Amino acid sequence: MPVDVDAAALKQLGRDAGLDAVGIAPAAPFLGTRTHLYERRDAGLHGGMQFTYRNPDRSTDPARALDGARSIVVGARAYPSSPSSRQRPDRTHHQPRGRVAAYARADHYARLTASLDAMADALRANGWRTRLLVDDNALVDREAAYRAGLGWYGKNSNLLLPGRGSWFVLGSVITDAALATDDAPMDDGCGMCRRCIAGCPTEAIVAPGMVDARRCLAWLLQMRGAFPREYRVALGDRIYGCDDCQEVCPQNETDGRKVVMGEPSVSIDAMLTDDDDTLLARHGRWYIADRDPRHLRRNALIVLGNTGDGHDSRTVQLLGRYLDHPDPMLRAQAAWTARRLGRDDLLGPRAGDPAIASELAEPAPPPR
């Protein structure tokens, strides 16, 4: 026979295990969120993203993740942020590097999982069933955290914790234990602030709390196929993720954790020369479309175009390598990069290649 669990003691156990905030919500379906997911998917705002859009009926119903679910224990664990590096790329830098978003610089989800496991273990030890969900398309984690009283939705759609901002990863333990829930939802704390909307480099925040994934650099870096031409210059030196809407948020200015964990940037040269196995071993925690490193190389070629020097011998060598690459997507991307760096002369001898000809038929990108 399961034994009742004290909710306050359970939350303290989570904090002792490293969580920065813990809350408990009832496991009722997220009906409003379900409606929003369908509406935004039907409008194309998901930009082909699957994740919780794949099956909104499932991702908004905790009982689909655990039969008989009655409570959701939600935890937030902070990850180190770093001072803003949103300057224009250095035109004199001959060894370009790609900037990595703070959440992706180390395996913060592993630490979050370990913290949540402490609470799940306690529930199971008392006879209750659990399912732990971290970065999982089975549950809209921000809505679970909102319902558990951890914070409110910012205009950038991130969950903001009062006085602490959004530099957190979120996860949940769904259980069939009936636990005392926290007061929710939390009042909006953004007020009239619109810094995130104004600060998005591609105007992807189309309304408060609504992001058009078709413009969001973080998603475009993960999607399959050619990177949209209209956002390549805006990508700048980003190789994975985008922190701009968080960096400009005044709620995050209260956070003094300006400590860098993991690599804040990676070598573009390595991204373009290492073999597939090496790239996947090094960056396998990232979401890579189809688990195919060609998408990492696509992104690296754009960063090379935005930060490289067209007169640098190593850059010219990399351009030649990819202008002759067997993958037509990468040849076309290399042609864009060559034009961006003022090296159209490299394209003339290859103008008969359909992939390169397709690039030459487009307007030239603005020169570096």
Side-chain angles (χ1 to χ4, degrees):
M1 185 74 177
V3 177
D4 288 344
V5 175
D6 179 72
L10 185 67
K11 290 189 287 185
Q12 185 58 53
L13 179 64
R15 288 189 287 268
D16 291 344
L19 294 175
D20 293 273
V22 190
I24 300 175
F30 307 162
L31 298 180
T33 301
R34 181 179 302 172
T35 298
H36 292 154
L37 287 174
Y38 276 118
E39 289 176 346
R40 295 175 189 184
R41 191 176 74 178
D42 291 345
L45 296 180
H46 68 313
M49 184 189 304
Q50 295 299 308
F51 203 57
T52 54
Y53 282 105
R54 184 193 307 274
N55 186 343
D57 289 347
R58 177 183 66 176
S59 62
T60 58
D61 186 356
R64 296 282 292 271
L66 180 73
D67 185 44
R70 288 196 270 181
S71 306
I72 312 173
V73 187
V74 187
R77 181 152 183 162
Y79 58 86
S81 57
S82 61
S84 174
S85 55
R86 297 168 62 242
Q87 292 89 25
R88 293 180 64 85
D90 183 355
R91 292 178 180 268
T92 65
H93 200 333
H94 291 178
Q95 296 182 334
R97 297 185 65 83
R99 184 162 29 122
V100 179
Y103 82 91
R105 295 172 187 167
D107 195 352
H108 305 300
Y109 282 110
R111 297 178 180 86
L112 172 66
T113 299
S115 300
L116 293 169
D117 264 335
M119 298 186 295
D121 287 345
L123 287 163
R124 288 191 292 265
N126 282 281
W128 302 106
R129 292 183 299 118
T130 67
R131 181 172 174 186
L132 196 154
L133 296 176
V134 171
D135 194 28
D136 195 301
N137 61 16
L139 190 71
V140 182
D141 53 12
R142 282 173 295 177
E143 180 65 14
Y146 175 68
R147 292 183 175 224
L150 268 61
W152 73 90
Y153 282 108
K155 290 185 175 69
N156 60 4
S157 83
N158 286 334
L159 192 84
L160 300 175
L161 277 64
R164 307 178 75 178
S166 60
W167 301 108
F168 294 87
V169 285
L170 305 170
S172 299
V173 177
I174 302 177
T175 179
D176 59 351
L179 301 170
T181 59
D182 290 279
D183 292 335
M186 185 172 291
D187 291 338
D188 171 63
C190 293
M192 299 300 292
C193 179
R194 296 173 62 89
R195 287 194 200 176
C196 60
I197 296 176
C200 178
T202 57
E203 300 181 340
I205 306 173
V206 295
M210 185 181 299
V211 176
D212 186 343
R214 295 169 296 187
R215 305 183 191 182
C216 178
L217 294 175
W219 167 241
L220 294 178
L221 283 163
Q222 296 181 8
M223 67 181 292
R224 60 171 55 91
F227 196 99
R229 176 180 302 278
E230 61 267 36
Y231 302 122
R232 292 175 186 175
V233 172
L235 185 67
D237 65 342
R238 302 169 185 84
I239 195 69
Y240 192 80
C242 177
D243 284 333
D244 286 36
C245 67
Q246 296 193 89
E247 290 178 337
V248 300
C249 176
Q251 296 293 329
N252 284 329
E253 291 175 359
T254 64
D255 180 4
R257 294 175 291 105
K258 303 301 182 186
V259 178
V260 176
M261 177 182 289
E263 277 193 297
S265 65
V266 296
S267 166
I268 294 302
D269 190 300
M271 298 284 283
L272 293 172
T273 56
D274 286 343
D275 62 35
D276 288 0
D277 289 342
T278 300
L279 285 177
L280 288 175
R282 182 181 300 130
H283 306 297
R285 286 186 296 99
W286 297 356
Y287 177 84
I288 302 168
D290 302 322
R291 304 305 295 168
D292 190 340
R294 72 194 288 253
H295 295 103
L296 294 178
R297 297 189 175 98
R298 171 203 65 188
N299 299 341
L301 284 168
I302 301 171
V303 173
L304 180 64
N306 290 333
T307 64
D309 181 346
H311 299 288
D312 173 62
S313 60
R314 181 57 176 167
T315 297
V316 174
Q317 182 181 5
L318 290 171
L319 287 173
R321 174 176 181 159
Y322 278 88
L323 288 169
D324 295 327
H325 198 279
D327 185 333
M329 180 185 78
L330 295 181
R331 293 201 304 276
Q333 185 58 68
W336 180 92
T337 298
R339 299 182 83 189
R340 175 94 163 114
L341 295 177
R343 295 307 306 261
D344 291 55
D345 58 299
L346 299 175
L347 306 182
R350 300 172 170 92
D353 178 345
I356 292 176
S358 68
E359 168 58 36
L360 288 170
E362 297 289 342
R368 281 265 288 123

